[in-house]
Amino acid sequence: MTLLVTGGAGFIGANFVLDWLATSDEPVINLDKLTYAGNPETLASLQGDVRHQLVQGDIGDTALVSRLLAEHRPRAVVNFAAESHVDRSIHGPGEFIETNIVGTFRLLESVRGYWSSLPVASVSDREQVPSRSETAPTQESFRFLHVSTDEVYGSLDKDDPAFSETHRYEPNSPYSASKAASDHLVRAWHHTYGLPVLTTNCSNNYGPYHFPEKLIPLMIVNALAGKPLPVYGDGMQVRDWLYVKDHCSAIRRVLEAGRLGEVYNVGGWNEKPNIEIVKTVCVLLDELRPRSDGKSYAEQISYVTDRQGHDRRYAIDARKLEAELGWKPAETFETGIRKTVEWYLANPEWVLHVQSGAYREWVNKNYTGRLA
Ligand code: NAD
Ligand code: DAU
């Protein structure tokens, strides 16, 4: 049995692939366009591992995706591939429309073609739990899991209840609108064609291998470099934070036992204003790598112009996933953020190669395809 993962050289996808192969011998075909956000160095520990094959390519390349599906006959596709940064979507929405909407559409069509070519299961096969089946995939056992975001639900006021799966879609940024569109396509491919899909909508992730354009890694990296820590607006926007490995365990659980066509919200019940996150990072750095002048890293905090259309608050109600599938995060915010800061302190080369662009050189040397 094989898994096709898309976007598996990005932050969450790579964590998922690394975790998957740490606990399973089921091979992973990793299709990633290797945009600026795709970093094969994150997967360096898998070099030479026959269970992992990284293929540079676009989810919208129908010929390539159809060939990969026909050759490897995966029992599931897990779709992480996306343009993911809200600020970039504000300054240049085109790529977000291309990958998140058109790309998802093309991927769904390739997968639908493959899925309809699969055999229909015998009655006895139908009684097996799909992910534990040792037999070749069937139309019944196949799964398409779409990884999405809480941002599709829009912004909450201070006292609003957290987003449940039935909250209406009110996306506000080009990024969240493109993800919302992709969720609708996935839903429609299930409703219309019967494609066996699952969708997860998760809150803000943090942890190892997070690209240092996002809040938490940017604050760590800037603090250590003696640069300002830019806090947008008043810093009182609230996000709900989940350690990336807990997101990965939730995806595994949904893949294993989620009900077809269902949506599962994933979150850690960790609502925090941005300024609190930044101050927590500063406190941890003060403890683990004190500034040479004895001052706190908090001195580097700098309030800057707010993000356009900045959503005020996100909060995830994860009770469906917890009650139905028995999922629980392993980390609290306190344990997860400490691990994260420690990881960045222990892995300066990874950050250095991202900042210097050396990770792109590695891609250029090893791949001949078009680079974004
Ligand atoms: P990321 O930007 O770190 O990684 C995205 C990966 O997708 C990169 O490796 C990139 O090269 C690849 N990619 C981009 N366009 C592609 C294309 N057309 N074809 C193939 N590969 C392509 O993103 P991330 O933070 O790891 O997010 C992964 C997924 O999870 C996204 O779908 C995102 O919307 C969703 N999500 C992210 C968060 C979060 O906090 N980061 C939270 C909830 C949901
Ligand atoms: O909620 C899930 C989403 O979380 C994912 O779908 C996105 O892919 C992911 O990027 C993330 O989106 P955010 O916009 O919430 O993440 P970001 O790290 O960019 O910003 C977090 C908050 O911090 C947000 O309120 C903006 C603020 N911020 C961000 C940066 C980069 C700052 O104040 N300063 C900064 O420099």
Side-chain angles (χ1 to χ4, degrees):
M1 303 298 273
T2 299
L3 215 57
L4 176 67
V5 168
T6 72
F11 165 48
I12 305 172
N15 273 289
F16 179 84
V17 170
L18 291 169
D19 284 5
W20 183 272
L21 292 175
T23 53
S24 160
D25 278 334
E26 185 173 352
V28 173
I29 307 301
N30 187 347
L31 172 65
D32 195 299
K33 190 175 169 183
L34 299 179
T35 69
Y36 80 95
N39 186 348
E41 281 192 23
T42 303
L43 301 161
S45 63
L46 296 176
Q47 253 175 355
D49 190 326
V50 291
R51 300 170 305 163
H52 177 248
Q53 189 183 331
L54 180 61
V55 178
Q56 186 186 16
D58 194 316
I59 53 167
D61 182 342
T62 306
L64 171 66
V65 177
S66 301
R67 179 172 65 70
L68 289 175
L69 290 166
E71 261 174 30
H72 298 283
R73 302 188 70 73
R75 65 152 170 115
V77 173
V78 184
N79 182 32
F80 292 96
E83 288 294 333
S84 70
H85 189 37
V86 173
D87 291 330
R88 284 180 189 255
S89 84
I90 294 167
H91 300 117
E95 281 297 311
F96 289 73
I97 306 304
E98 260 327 300
T99 284
N100 299 1
I101 306 180
V102 181
T104 304
F105 154 66
R106 295 214 171 106
L107 177 65
L108 281 166
E109 279 296 81
S110 304
V111 170
R112 183 164 75 92
Y114 164 67
W115 168 72
S116 44
S117 76
L118 292 174
V120 175
S122 65
V123 175
S124 62
D125 282 349
R126 264 179 238 164
E127 279 152 20
Q128 290 189 31
V129 177
S131 60
R132 301 221 177 103
S133 166
E134 293 301 323
T135 58
T138 63
Q139 289 194 13
E140 287 72 18
S141 68
F142 181 79
R143 296 289 181 267
F144 179 88
L145 192 152
H146 181 59
V147 180
S148 193
T149 170
D150 59 359
E151 299 201 13
V152 298
Y153 299 124
S155 184
L156 293 168
D157 286 333
K158 192 165 154 286
D159 298 319
D160 287 342
F163 301 128
S164 74
E165 288 79 0
T166 54
H167 194 282
R168 71 171 170 232
Y169 271 40
E170 288 181 323
N172 290 319
S173 71
Y175 163 70
S176 54
S178 69
K179 289 296 288 186
S182 71
D183 292 8
H184 290 322
L185 291 173
V186 170
R187 177 190 157 88
W189 260 241
H190 174 66
H191 189 83
T192 306
Y193 305 112
L195 190 70
V197 307
L198 299 155
T199 299
T200 54
N201 291 85
C202 188
S203 59
N204 282 61
N205 285 215
Y206 66 100
Y209 306 112
H210 204 180
F211 198 86
E213 63 181 352
K214 309 281 169 62
L215 180 72
I216 289 178
L218 182 73
M219 294 302 138
I220 298 172
V221 165
N222 275 12
L224 293 171
K227 292 184 180 165
L229 308 180
V231 173
Y232 297 164
D234 64 1
M236 290 308 290
Q237 301 81 8
V238 171
R239 298 290 182 265
D240 184 349
W241 295 92
L242 183 69
Y243 192 62
V244 63
K245 290 182 184 301
D246 284 325
H247 186 189
C248 295
S249 75
I251 291 170
R252 283 203 301 277
R253 187 69 194 125
V254 173
L255 189 60
E256 190 177 56
R259 283 182 296 129
L260 284 192
E262 290 289 318
V263 172
Y264 294 90
N265 281 357
V266 186
W269 305 99
N270 274 313
E271 283 186 60
K272 309 254 180 229
N274 293 336
I275 188 64
E276 192 180 321
I277 298 290
V278 177
K279 285 183 174 163
T280 302
V281 166
C282 291
V283 167
L284 283 166
L285 286 174
D286 288 342
E287 175 198 326
L288 298 168
R289 183 72 55 84
R291 264 172 49 155
S292 53
D293 63 4
K295 292 184 178 161
S296 169
Y297 287 98
E299 301 239 339
Q300 291 165 231
I301 292 174
S302 159
Y303 289 90
V304 299
T305 310
D306 208 351
R307 175 184 278 175
Q308 271 176 282
H310 200 169
D311 283 339
R312 197 68 183 162
R313 175 177 165 238
Y314 305 141
I316 276 283
D317 179 341
R319 277 178 297 182
K320 178 175 171 182
L321 178 59
E322 291 167 357
E324 211 177 276
L325 303 183
W327 172 83
K328 278 254 176 295
E331 304 293 341
T332 62
F333 183 74
E334 288 65 34
T335 58
I337 192 70
R338 180 174 281 276
K339 282 187 178 175
T340 303
V341 172
E342 284 172 348
W343 186 87
Y344 278 89
L345 288 173
N347 291 276
E349 294 94 40
W350 186 89
V351 174
L352 208 66
H353 290 179
V354 170
Q355 288 178 322
S356 69
Y359 77 119
R360 305 307 300 165
E361 281 164 30
W362 194 94
V363 172
N364 282 317
K365 212 167 61 203
N366 289 277
Y367 292 92
T368 49
R370 186 183 74 81
L371 294 181

